[in-house]
Amino acid sequence: MYSANHWGGSFEIADGAHEAEDDHSRNMDVDRGSLSRRLDETQASWLLGPQENKKKDKYIDLGCVVCKRKLFWWVFWGIIVAFIVIGLPIIIAKSIPKKKPAPIPPDAYANALHKALMFFNAQKSGKLPKNNGVPWRGDSGLTDGSDITDVKGGLVGGYYDAGDNIKFHFPMAFSMTLLSWTVIEYSEKYKALGEYDHVRDIIKWGTDYLLLTFNSSSTSINKMYSQVGTAKINSTTPDDHYCWTRPEDMDYDRPVQTASSAPDLGAEVAAALAAASIVFKDDPTYSKKLVRGATTAYKFARNGGRRQMYSKGNPAIEPFYNSTGYWDEYMWGAAWMYYATGNTSILQFVTDPELPKNAKVSLMIPDLSVFSWDNKRPGAELLLTRLRIMLNPGYPYEESLLMYNNVTQLTMCMAIRKFNTFNWTQGGLIQLNHGRAQPLQYTMNFAYLANLYADYLDAINVPGWYCGPNYFSSSNMRSFAKSQVDYVLGNNPKKMSYIVGYGKNYPKHIHHRGSSIPRDGTKYSCTGGFKWRDSKNPNPNLITGAMAPGPDKFDGFIDSRKNYSYTEPTLAGNAGLVAALISLTGTGGKGIDKNTIFSAVPPLYPSTPPPPAAWKP
């Protein structure tokens, strides 16, 4: 059998001799010279084929990292582009000064409030501060009380009460208490309106003076000065009514009245100093001074052997600011003393059932529900209602506090027109003083209490209260308060504002000595100023913010200096106006400060506080 080539072609076996011969033949054919020459590019390309043109990568040493140079530049330019596109616009936007949002325009109540506070500047007695802001007023009353030996420097300072030049301490103290109450409740509003420092200055001007009216550095006193200046009925000798003189030109005697028994005045002074001590909590030294003075005045007021109204039998006081009782001042003064000191013995006194019984609280006599310089019951009841619904001291105080709460609710019902507790004018003004003269001071006080009560209800998320079977929401109280203040601002049949300087139509002939006599460098005699009182011309000096006492029961008004019942402003009247305005304005926010008033009140149950009492409307 023959072998075969299974892969195709001939299958041959060559021997070694032939192989060697062939190799030798091939080697002989090679040109050795050509092997010694360098090939040019063309020749190399024939032999080796096309060559790749590769570049060697370059690197950058960044210290801790080594990276390709190309990658580095890509990242670098990426950052630059991102900065230009994103970062630069942000920087430019941040650097452009931002326009602050415009403040909310003040509402009518805020505008009127700015003016109402200026009235107190116009009423200041003593050496006036440079920033007093009333150009036609100057230093006055610098010798007041100079003959008193126990008061260093005399009784210089304080406020003139009205259009005369008398300093009545009883309504002055009430005015300071009321203003302090508004600051405690509505401090944020005052701050937003830029009036916080101003109203505190007004209060301090009053409390500094009240501290002079008794030995406030002592722990026990037996007298209190109640008035500077006099005005006797049908007087034939120079006094503050017989004369029509600017306070800067007074040259007649100004006697000082002294009260050795003054439960009403003493308790009101204690209330004023105690309330102010809360206002000035940020000044511990002054606040403690006020508390010390309040404690001394309160002790004097509560002296069991000296309980006769401060005005009784005094012809210099009785015709003007006669006090009709002192149990309401005990309620009012004790409430403020408790808030200022946290003394539980005072809380026990104010919740003792005998106190409201003596004050005739539960009788619900309409006239006793009208808040004023002479009747503090409604204000004290609301203060104690606040204590119950927000702090809830519980047993053994709950029963009495619930009674105050219920009476407060019934008082608010009296503002509802459908119940006909009080008459109303056709123009919509409630007649809290039965149509007698000077109604606005009572109306403004009630408006304040009504709106404050509504704020209290809102603060505890209670929508309203019951008047018998009728349920009313807090908005009813706000509507009442708003309607009465709007009447004063011009929404009345006369279409006039009762606040001097507010609106276009307001009283021009205010019964006020300093406002009616021009500051022309002439010192007019005691009776020489009457020509200015009797003039038909408007007052030469604008007493900005003064609230006229108001219209008659027919919405009528006589703008005449001779008719003081229409045109003589008072310190207490303007305090009520300020209170109503600050409670209603929405320019500086809404609501009350729930906690500041409790700053001195210690926990009554420091270990295991009881559960809160159920709300009883």
Side-chain angles (χ1 to χ4, degrees):
M1 175 175 280
Y2 297 98
S3 61
N5 181 6
H6 299 290
W7 302 103
S10 61
F11 183 80
E12 295 181 347
I13 300 176
D15 57 15
H18 289 96
E19 182 180 9
E21 184 179 348
D22 289 339
D23 287 327
H24 178 73
S25 176
R26 284 195 292 269
N27 289 337
M28 291 297 290
D29 292 336
V30 175
D31 185 356
R32 296 184 181 272
S34 65
L35 294 178
S36 64
R37 293 197 308 270
R38 183 180 182 86
L39 300 176
D40 59 25
E41 290 183 3
T42 302
Q43 293 170 331
S45 64
W46 294 341
L47 295 175
L48 302 177
Q51 298 287 318
E52 293 184 6
N53 188 18
K54 291 184 178 180
K55 292 184 179 179
K56 186 178 181 180
D57 289 331
K58 296 182 179 180
Y59 293 87
I60 296 178
D61 188 352
L62 299 177
C64 59
V65 176
V66 176
C67 68
K68 292 183 179 181
R69 178 175 294 185
K70 183 182 293 186
L71 177 62
F72 171 80
W73 286 112
W74 270 105
V75 173
F76 174 78
W77 287 113
I79 293 173
I80 295 298
V81 171
F83 173 76
I84 295 173
V85 174
I86 300 174
L88 193 58
I90 293 176
I91 294 174
I92 294 173
K94 293 281 187 181
S95 63
I96 296 174
K98 292 185 178 179
K99 186 178 181 181
K100 294 183 179 180
I104 301 174
D107 56 24
Y109 308 118
N111 285 329
L113 177 71
H114 292 306
K115 298 181 183 299
L117 288 170
M118 286 302 299
F119 172 74
F120 293 91
N121 294 45
Q123 295 301 102
K124 284 181 179 177
S125 178
K127 189 170 181 61
L128 302 184
K130 293 181 179 179
N131 63 344
N132 193 49
V134 184
W136 47 271
R137 281 300 324 280
D139 298 342
S140 64
L142 299 181
T143 60
D144 284 351
S146 58
D147 56 341
I148 297 175
T149 58
D150 61 335
V151 179
K152 185 179 180 181
L155 295 173
V156 178
Y159 292 95
Y160 301 117
D161 177 69
D164 51 34
N165 302 327
I166 303 176
K167 295 190 289 193
F168 293 101
H169 300 170
F170 192 42
M172 185 193 304
F174 170 73
S175 301
M176 297 304 107
T177 312
L178 185 53
L179 289 179
S180 290
W181 192 4
T182 69
V183 174
I184 293 167
E185 303 286 12
Y186 298 109
S187 61
E188 291 306 314
K189 286 188 179 184
Y190 276 115
K191 291 175 182 176
L193 294 171
E195 291 287 3
Y196 183 67
D197 292 336
H198 184 197
V199 70
R200 281 167 44 113
D201 287 344
I202 290 170
I203 294 168
K204 190 173 187 298
W205 191 270
T207 52
D208 282 350
Y209 177 76
L210 292 174
L211 288 169
L212 300 177
T213 63
F214 65 101
N215 187 358
S216 58
S217 62
S218 174
T219 58
S220 182
I221 58 174
N222 58 14
K223 66 179 179 181
M224 183 174 280
Y225 298 114
S226 57
Q227 183 174 312
V228 176
T230 57
K232 296 180 181 178
I233 302 298
N234 299 320
S235 175
T236 58
T237 58
D239 64 18
D240 284 283
H241 278 191
Y242 181 83
C243 301
W244 191 271
T245 306
R246 297 176 69 248
E248 292 80 3
D249 298 333
M250 295 183 299
D251 58 4
Y252 47 83
D253 290 337
R254 288 169 55 77
V256 175
Q257 306 300 308
T258 306
S260 58
S261 173
D264 38 16
L265 174 62
E268 183 56 72
V269 169
L273 299 179
S277 74
I278 302 173
V279 171
F280 292 99
K281 274 292 182 183
D282 59 342
D283 184 350
T285 301
Y286 188 60
S287 182
K288 290 177 182 177
K289 182 179 181 180
L290 291 170
V291 170
R292 286 196 301 269
T295 303
T296 300
Y298 181 75
K299 181 180 177 181
F300 171 66
R302 294 281 294 127
N303 189 331
R306 298 177 180 274
R307 291 189 181 174
Q308 177 176 295
M309 276 80 77
Y310 90 106
S311 57
K312 189 173 182 180
N314 189 331
I317 301 177
E318 273 188 321
F320 310 105
Y321 284 103
N322 181 48
S323 174
T324 57
Y326 58 82
W327 289 103
D328 58 315
E329 276 82 24
Y330 276 179
M331 288 172 53
W332 176 248
W336 280 115
M337 285 296 295
Y338 176 65
Y339 282 132
T341 66
N343 188 329
T344 55
S345 67
I346 297 177
L347 180 59
Q348 291 168 1
F349 168 68
V350 81
T351 56
D352 187 322
E354 289 299 310
L355 177 57
K357 179 181 177 181
N358 290 329
K360 302 178 181 179
V361 169
S362 59
L363 297 181
M364 291 310 301
I365 300 171
D367 285 354
L368 298 185
S369 299
V370 178
F371 188 39
S372 72
W373 57 266
D374 183 40
N375 179 34
K376 319 299 167 43
R377 290 171 185 83
E381 291 157 5
L382 184 56
L383 273 177
L384 294 168
T385 296
R386 191 193 209 283
L387 178 64
R388 176 183 179 263
I389 65 178
M390 295 188 191
L391 201 60
N392 180 34
Y395 181 83
Y397 314 109
E398 170 64 15
E399 185 175 353
S400 291
L401 293 177
L402 177 59
M403 181 273 300
Y404 288 127
N405 192 162
N406 291 336
V407 172
T408 292
Q409 292 174 341
L410 291 174
T411 298
M412 297 302 154
C413 295
M414 294 182 183
I416 306 298
R417 194 166 186 172
K418 66 179 290 184
F419 297 120
N420 296 317
T421 306
F422 296 98
N423 292 327
W424 297 62
T425 69
Q426 288 188 352
L429 183 69
I430 191 171
Q431 295 289 285
L432 298 171
N433 63 338
H434 306 291
R436 293 189 292 268
Q438 305 176 2
L440 294 186
Q441 60 174 307
Y442 307 104
T443 305
M444 293 300 95
N445 288 345
F446 206 147
Y448 171 65
L449 295 187
N451 202 67
L452 182 58
Y453 180 62
D455 280 339
Y456 285 175
L457 293 182
D458 289 351
I460 60 172
N461 297 315
V462 172
W465 83 108
Y466 281 98
C467 294
N470 301 284
Y471 185 81
F472 294 95
S473 71
S474 59
S475 61
N476 289 96
M477 286 294 93
R478 297 196 193 284
S479 296
F480 165 77
K482 186 177 184 298
S483 70
Q484 300 308 292
V485 175
D486 288 351
Y487 185 102
V488 172
L489 298 185
N491 188 15
N492 55 63
K494 286 284 186 180
K495 301 301 178 185
M496 67 174 293
S497 159
Y498 286 100
I499 302 174
V500 175
Y502 181 83
K504 295 181 179 179
N505 183 22
Y506 53 82
K508 306 295 195 303
H509 303 81
I510 288 293
H511 180 98
H512 191 275
R513 285 160 174 76
S515 175
S516 66
I517 301 175
R519 191 175 188 182
D520 55 7
T522 302
K523 181 178 179 179
Y524 296 95
S525 65
C526 167
T527 57
F530 277 101
K531 71 175 184 178
W532 300 109
R533 186 201 68 174
D534 300 337
S535 169
K536 301 295 183 181
N537 296 325
N539 287 8
N541 304 313
L542 192 70
I543 184 165
T544 300
M547 183 180 71
D552 57 30
K553 60 183 178 181
F554 304 108
D555 297 306
F557 181 78
I558 300 174
D559 189 7
S560 168
R561 277 184 291 270
K562 290 184 178 182
N563 203 327
Y564 65 88
S565 64
Y566 287 98
T567 59
E568 184 175 20
T570 65
L571 211 63
N574 257 69
L577 172 65
V578 168
L581 290 169
I582 193 64
S583 74
L584 280 172
T585 180
T587 303
K590 296 181 180 180
I592 59 165
D593 177 348
K594 286 180 61 175
N595 300 317
T596 298
I597 198 170
F598 299 126
S599 57
V601 177
L604 295 176
Y605 302 93
S607 55
T608 56
W615 168 255
K616 297 178 181 179

